[in-house]
């Protein structure tokens, strides 16, 4: 990944021959062959899970086999005597200070600090994984200690306060999972995180020795608690928020934009080669400012026998985009009701299949959209790439000089979609390109088949506003009368209110300075504005349900936090 351009450099590593990739033949992925970017725990994750399995068997041995328990008691007692024989007044004061790391207040401050940091940087996935790891660790540690019911070390004077049973050590488990969670959620991968892991290891070992020295834990209690907490944090973050897919970075950008360096960048290259037969020379993000629902990419394709080197455009979709779409539609339903089709997609595969379908549908109808090359699977049911034609030399309409021909093309496009029973639903400057005097349409993901008249009317208003930004309202209105009646234009601007227009278009209108919306409404026949509020029993029940669930979740979280912190 080029640090200055954000480009995934392809073909620059050992064993990679770019020329050998040309004219590659696509092939089906054989059954059993791993996907380009598989989900993996990694070696350290598997190692800690094995340790958890080992200590689980040890706990079962405590409960089932008295002989096994007696063996551990003798082993622990001998090691405990080795450490407690070192007691001196000065060393005891040091160990009491170290033991303060296991206090409930220390752990609470650490956890709330991590939560605050993740909220500030809007890392919601890391936040959910962190909370899940902490709560799961506390529940399991509390349940296990209650079942084993192992008392504090016998015959050893206890030099500090304690509560509950000792196996496993709940303070060590709580501190371990909190510290590991902080490292994986807030510290950048690489040398900084490696240093953080070493520091965490030193702290846990020191705390374990201190608690054995003070007589509140057996050696195996401290070891079991620390290892279980570390393992839970490592396993959950490796599985649900792997760094290759969800890197910790402090560069500004939208959460929807996934990092394309590292393993993901390599997976994109190999997947396009295997599944589409195209050799990739370069992958670079493009148009990130105007994209909030995917990661748009410009991909350079190597020459073949029939075509020279060229660029294609691609959009990377992940499961996080499906979740964002689901929450977005839920929020719209609560705030406005059934403005349009608010049914969420259930999988990433359906997400990308729908856009591929709309590209092919519009292309078949003669709408100037990119030619679809196909869908590429990166990780089954988690990440997919849709590849399409790249309009080389085209510029966004907000930066282009437009003439009467472009104005007519934009209005004719809306008329055609009306006649075909379609709505684009996202008409804005970023989705309209101009090349050699021809208007091109991109980003057709929101296209709706058989939309409501309100939705189609909004498309017309948005198109006229976009065209007027590069010309003037009178000129656009005069051309619109060729394709639409005055009543249809009046309906369009009666429907175009607030969220009916994309955010980018609303911002462009503010920056322009002219009140184009008022100008169009003045020229069109008078018409009462169309309300964007749609009340229904479903909206009322859904809103009440969300409020009740939110209160219950907050109450449950607070009660569990107070009990386990």
């Amino acid at each position: 990944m080029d640090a200055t351009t954000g480009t995934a450099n392809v073909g620059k590593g050992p064993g990679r021959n770019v020329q050998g990739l040309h004219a590659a033949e696509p092939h089906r992925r054989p059954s059993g062959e791993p996907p380009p970017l598989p989900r993996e725990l990694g070696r350290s994750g598997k190692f800690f899970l094995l340790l958890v399995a080992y200590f689980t068997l040890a706990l079962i041995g405590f409960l089932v086999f008295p002989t096994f328990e007696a063996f551990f008691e003798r082993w622990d007692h001998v090691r405990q005597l080795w450490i407690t024989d070192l007691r001196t007044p000065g060393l005891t004061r040091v160990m009491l200070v170290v033991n303060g790391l296991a206090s409930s207040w220390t752990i609470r401050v650490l956890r709330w600090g991590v939560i605050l940091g993740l909220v500030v940087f809007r890392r919601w996935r890391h936040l959910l994984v962190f909370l899940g790891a902490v709560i799961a660790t506390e529940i399991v540690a509390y349940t296990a200690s209650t079942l084993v019911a192992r008392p504090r070390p016998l015959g050893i004077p206890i030099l500090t306060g304690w509560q509950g049973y000792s196996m496993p050590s709940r303070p060590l488990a709580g501190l371990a999972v909190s510290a590991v969670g902080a490292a994986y959620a807030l510290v950048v991968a690489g040398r900084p995180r490696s240093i953080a892991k070493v520091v965490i290891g030193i702290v846990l070992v020191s705390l374990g020795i201190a608690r054995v020295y003070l007589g509140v834990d057996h050696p195996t209690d401290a070891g079991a608690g620390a290892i279980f907490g570390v393992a839970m944090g490592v396993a959950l973050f490796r599985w649900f928020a792997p760094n290759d897919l969800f890197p910790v970075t402090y560069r500004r950008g939208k959460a929807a934009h996934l990092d394309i360096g590292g393993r993901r960048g390599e997976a994109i290259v190999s997947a396009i080669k295997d599944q589409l037969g195209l050799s990739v020379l370069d992958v670079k993000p493009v148009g990130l400012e105007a994209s909030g629902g995917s990661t748009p990419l410009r991909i350079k394709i190597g020459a073949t026998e029939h075509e020279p080197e060229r660029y294609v455009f691609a959009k990377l979709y992940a499961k996080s985009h499906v979740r964002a779409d689901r929450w977005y539609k839920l929020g719209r339903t609560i705030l406005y009701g059934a403005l349009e089709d608010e049914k969420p997609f259930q999988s990433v595969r359906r997400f990308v299949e729908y856009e591929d379908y709309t590209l092919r549908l519009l292309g078949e109808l003669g709408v100037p959209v990119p030619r679809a090359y196909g869908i590429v699977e990166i990780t089954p049911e988690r990440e997919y790439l849709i590849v399409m034609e790249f309009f080389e030399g085209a510029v966004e309409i907000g930066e282009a000089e437009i003439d009467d021909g472009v104005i007519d093309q934009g209005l004719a496009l809306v008329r055609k979609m009306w006649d075909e029973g379609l709505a684009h639903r996202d008409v804005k400057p970023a989705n309209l390109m101009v090349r050699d005097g021809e208007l091109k349409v991109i980003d057709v993901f929101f296209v709706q088949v058989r939309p409501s008249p309100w939705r189609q009317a909004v498309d017309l208003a948005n198109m006229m506003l976009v065209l007027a930004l590069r010309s003037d309202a009178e000129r656009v209105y005069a051309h619109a009368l060729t394709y639409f009646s005055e009543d249809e234009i009046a309906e369009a601007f009666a429907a175009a209110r607030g969220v009916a227009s994309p955010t980018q278009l609303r911002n462009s209108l503010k920056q322009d300075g002219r009140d184009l919306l008022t100008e169009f409404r003045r020229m069109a026949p008078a018409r009462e504005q169309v309300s964007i509020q749609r009340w229904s029993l479903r909206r009322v029940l859904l809103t009440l349900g969300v409020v009740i669930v939110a209160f219950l979740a907050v109450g449950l979280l607070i009660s569990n936090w107070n009990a386990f912190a």
Side-chain angles (χ1 to χ4, degrees):
M1 184 77 176
D2 191 296
T4 59
T5 65
T7 303
N9 295 319
V10 180
K12 295 185 179 180
R16 186 181 293 278
N17 185 344
V18 175
Q19 297 299 323
L21 295 178
H22 294 350
E25 293 294 332
H27 67 272
R28 293 182 296 173
R29 182 160 56 89
S31 177
E33 182 180 325
L37 187 60
R39 298 177 67 188
E40 294 180 347
L41 279 175
R43 285 177 294 181
S44 60
K46 294 175 182 177
F47 170 73
F48 280 110
L49 282 183
L50 286 176
L51 287 180
V52 170
Y54 171 77
F55 277 100
T56 300
L57 293 175
L59 291 176
I60 295 174
F62 265 92
L63 296 172
V64 178
F65 304 107
T67 304
F68 192 77
E69 180 182 0
F71 169 78
F72 266 94
E73 291 290 353
R74 290 193 299 271
W75 191 93
D76 273 340
H77 187 69
V78 172
R79 273 71 190 171
Q80 190 116 30
L81 290 177
W82 291 353
I83 296 176
T84 53
D85 284 345
L86 301 174
R87 287 178 173 176
T88 63
L91 186 56
T92 298
R93 286 193 293 270
V94 173
M95 292 301 182
L96 288 172
V97 172
V98 174
N99 188 56
L101 296 171
S103 70
S104 60
W105 280 107
T106 301
I107 297 175
R108 283 176 180 171
V109 169
L110 174 60
R111 290 174 178 175
W112 282 111
V114 174
I115 292 173
L116 180 61
L118 294 176
V119 169
V120 169
F121 292 109
R122 297 186 296 177
R123 296 204 184 102
W124 309 119
R125 187 179 188 89
H126 289 89
L127 176 60
L128 291 176
V129 175
F130 177 76
L131 291 175
V134 167
I135 293 175
T137 299
E138 294 291 355
I139 291 176
V140 173
Y142 176 79
T143 304
S145 65
T146 303
L147 289 174
V148 175
R150 189 183 192 187
R152 299 291 164 176
L154 300 176
I156 303 292
I158 298 176
L159 303 183
T160 187
W162 55 272
Q163 60 181 358
Y165 298 109
S166 65
M167 179 64 174
S169 174
R170 287 177 56 201
L172 266 164
L175 180 64
V177 71
S178 303
V180 169
Y184 275 87
L186 294 175
V187 181
V188 177
R191 183 176 177 81
R193 187 176 293 175
S194 298
I195 295 174
K197 289 178 181 179
V198 172
V199 173
I200 291 171
I202 294 173
V203 168
L204 293 178
V205 170
S206 301
L207 179 59
I209 293 173
R211 291 184 64 81
V212 173
Y213 175 93
L214 297 172
V216 290
D217 280 339
H218 302 87
T220 52
D221 301 339
I227 291 175
F228 179 74
V230 170
M232 186 66 76
V234 171
L236 291 185
F237 272 94
R238 286 283 180 85
W239 189 252
F240 293 106
N243 189 73
D244 289 321
L245 305 184
F246 306 98
V248 175
T249 176
Y250 292 93
R251 297 190 303 269
R252 292 185 177 182
K254 297 181 181 179
H257 302 150
L258 305 176
D259 182 75
I260 62 165
R263 291 178 60 213
R264 182 184 274 121
E266 295 173 359
I268 290 173
V269 172
S270 63
I272 292 177
K273 173 179 176 290
D274 291 343
Q275 298 172 36
L276 298 183
L278 302 175
S279 61
V280 176
L281 304 180
D282 185 68
V283 181
K284 183 177 181 180
V286 62
L288 298 180
E289 298 81 7
S291 173
S294 66
T295 304
L297 306 172
R298 188 183 70 170
I299 301 175
K300 189 175 184 180
I301 302 299
T304 65
E305 295 180 1
H306 307 288
E307 293 185 89
E309 288 186 0
R310 65 196 187 281
Y311 287 100
V312 298
F313 180 73
K315 294 169 72 176
L316 179 62
Y317 286 113
K319 206 166 184 178
S320 57
H321 297 125
V322 178
R323 295 193 185 99
D325 177 72
R326 188 177 298 134
W327 285 108
Y328 170 75
K329 289 180 176 177
L330 176 65
R332 280 175 63 93
T333 302
I334 292 173
L335 292 175
Y336 307 108
L339 279 177
E340 50 198 358
D341 181 13
E342 303 293 359
K343 296 293 187 295
F345 289 91
Q346 299 303 315
S347 68
V348 190
R349 185 190 294 270
R350 296 291 176 264
F351 220 62
V352 72
E353 284 177 349
Y354 184 78
E355 182 160 8
D356 184 70
Y357 158 74
T358 54
L359 276 174
R360 297 175 190 276
L361 172 63
L362 293 176
E364 186 178 292
L365 294 175
V367 177
V369 296
R371 178 166 65 93
Y373 285 101
I375 296 171
V376 176
E377 182 182 75
I378 306 299
T379 304
E381 302 302 332
R382 295 191 66 85
E383 289 195 28
Y384 289 85
L385 195 72
I386 180 170
V387 183
M388 64 194 77
E389 177 186 3
F390 182 78
F391 289 136
E392 187 72 33
V395 296
E396 184 182 308
I397 195 171
E399 301 173 359
E401 294 296 328
I402 67 173
D403 54 18
D404 290 348
V406 174
I407 294 175
D408 282 331
Q409 291 174 51
L411 295 168
L413 168 67
V414 176
R415 180 78 259 179
K416 184 173 186 59
M417 296 190 74
W418 277 31
D419 295 339
E420 298 291 347
L422 301 170
H424 187 277
R425 294 175 58 198
D426 197 25
V427 177
K428 61 183 180 182
N431 289 339
L432 298 172
M433 311 293 289
V434 178
R435 183 177 66 181
D436 298 330
E438 294 184 357
L439 185 68
K440 306 289 186 181
V441 183
I442 62 173
D443 198 353
V444 299
F445 174 76
F446 289 105
V447 166
Q448 186 176 346
V449 179
R450 297 302 165 197
S452 66
W454 173 85
R455 183 67 263 180
Q456 288 186 315
V458 169
D459 269 5
L460 173 58
N462 290 341
M463 178 62 77
M464 293 179 68
L465 289 169
V466 170
L467 295 172
L469 284 170
R470 301 301 298 165
S471 56
D472 58 78
E474 290 81 3
R475 183 179 173 191
V476 173
Y477 188 87
H479 282 265
L481 290 175
T482 306
Y483 302 92
F484 302 93
S485 67
E486 287 189 331
D487 186 64
E488 287 172 330
I489 297 174
E491 177 191 6
F493 287 100
R497 298 180 57 205
V499 295
S501 298
T503 303
Q504 188 206 19
L505 177 55
R506 298 200 302 270
N507 292 338
S508 298
L509 291 171
K510 292 178 183 178
Q511 295 171 5
D512 183 76
R514 295 173 293 169
D515 193 349
L516 295 174
L517 192 58
T518 300
E519 290 185 38
F520 278 122
R521 285 175 177 163
R522 177 179 51 80
M523 289 183 284
R527 181 141 181 185
E528 185 179 351
Q529 290 190 348
V530 177
S531 174
I532 62 174
Q533 292 293 336
R534 304 286 193 273
W535 287 99
S536 64
L537 179 62
R538 178 177 179 271
R539 179 185 178 186
V540 173
L541 294 178
L542 183 61
T543 303
L544 290 175
V546 169
V547 172
I548 292 173
V549 170
F551 274 113
L552 291 176
V554 171
L556 181 62
L557 180 63
I558 292 175
S559 62
N560 284 334
W561 200 270
N562 291 333
F564 297 134

